[in-house]
Amino acid sequence: MGQQTSWVDSVAVSGGVEFGAKQEALLASGSPAPNFCLLDADLEPFELAQAWREKIVVLHFYLHDRMPLSLRQTISFSEHQDDFERCGARVVAVSLDDCLIHADFRDEHGLDLSLLSDPEGEACRLYHVWQERQDGTVPRPSVLRSTFVIGCDGRVLHADYKVDVPVHVDSILGFLNNLSRRKNGNRKEHRRLA
């Protein structure tokens, strides 16, 4: 309380889609990526800043593992793990579920990606994806399904606050492939980014 919050009436997001009023100021391409440390499904600490120094990080936020769209999306990310590796990227998914639920979910579906537990929504708040919805008179936590591509310099390369689940993984892979072609095809830009 007492903090001044920055609001925007609409923010352009991936694909030229806009969404609405009273959204907190969102992260955009070029913004520094907020660092966090969370536990993964194996109860091991995961620090984002360490991960982005090693590879491009595809950071995906969602509400819970067992929701149908979340299941579909995490399976899709996992099935394309080799494609992400070829692009020099690592996929990391964050939800409000605890580590044990993540471990059961991962093992049940044979998922090959890091699942991080954010039960208090700390990382969700840093990336402006935390929401509270009214269920009668009781506020319920919610997470805006969103994905961020973070470069090895710790900057956001791409922010998608309006995920279209059926085409989302292909869209992120397309972005990474274009990024790779740009770096490899333009020597001046490659030297500048190196």
Side-chain angles (χ1 to χ4, degrees):
M1 319 305 117
Q3 290 181 341
Q4 186 174 359
T5 305
S6 172
W7 300 95
V8 293
D9 290 329
S10 65
V11 175
V13 293
S14 178
V17 178
E18 291 189 354
F19 67 99
K22 298 297 181 192
Q23 288 292 330
E24 193 170 345
L26 306 177
L27 295 176
S29 181
S31 301
N35 186 32
F36 59 79
C37 187
L38 296 173
L39 294 179
D40 68 12
D42 296 318
L43 299 172
E44 295 293 328
F46 171 92
E47 184 181 359
L48 182 60
Q50 180 62 40
W52 77 49
R53 287 183 191 106
E54 298 166 8
K55 290 185 176 187
I56 293 172
V57 176
V58 176
L59 180 64
H60 178 66
F61 289 91
Y62 63 100
L63 183 58
H64 292 297
D65 290 339
R66 303 277 178 206
M67 299 176 79
L69 285 179
S70 299
L71 173 61
R72 185 174 171 187
Q73 186 122 47
T74 51
I75 287 174
S76 184
F77 273 122
S78 184
E79 287 174 344
H80 288 85
Q81 193 64 24
D82 289 342
D83 298 324
F84 284 104
E85 284 289 327
R86 276 191 288 280
C87 293
R90 174 182 182 180
V91 178
V92 177
V94 179
S95 85
L96 303 181
D97 290 317
D98 69 33
C99 298
L100 298 178
I101 290 173
H102 276 329
D104 289 344
F105 180 65
R106 178 199 60 201
D107 296 345
E108 179 183 343
H109 298 286
L111 301 174
D112 186 23
L113 65 145
S114 299
L115 299 174
L116 305 182
S117 177
D118 188 19
E120 302 301 319
E122 295 168 20
C124 293
R125 286 180 177 88
L126 289 172
Y127 281 80
H128 307 289
V129 299
W130 176 266
Q131 300 177 330
E132 286 192 1
R133 300 190 186 273
Q134 285 299 119
D135 185 11
T137 58
V138 180
R140 301 245 182 241
S142 184
V143 175
L144 178 64
R145 188 180 307 278
S146 306
T147 301
F148 303 85
V149 177
I150 302 169
C152 295
D153 62 354
R155 297 214 167 262
V156 175
L157 300 174
H158 177 72
D160 188 349
Y161 283 92
K162 191 80 169 174
V163 169
D164 184 3
V165 173
V167 298
H168 184 61
V169 170
D170 288 336
S171 171
I172 296 297
L173 281 169
F175 173 81
L176 290 169
N177 282 319
N178 285 338
L179 183 67
S180 178
R181 272 195 297 275
R182 249 187 5 230
K183 284 183 183 177
N184 293 331
N186 182 335
R187 289 189 182 151
K188 284 183 181 175
E189 183 173 357
H190 183 66
R191 268 190 247 121
R192 195 171 58 240
L193 295 172

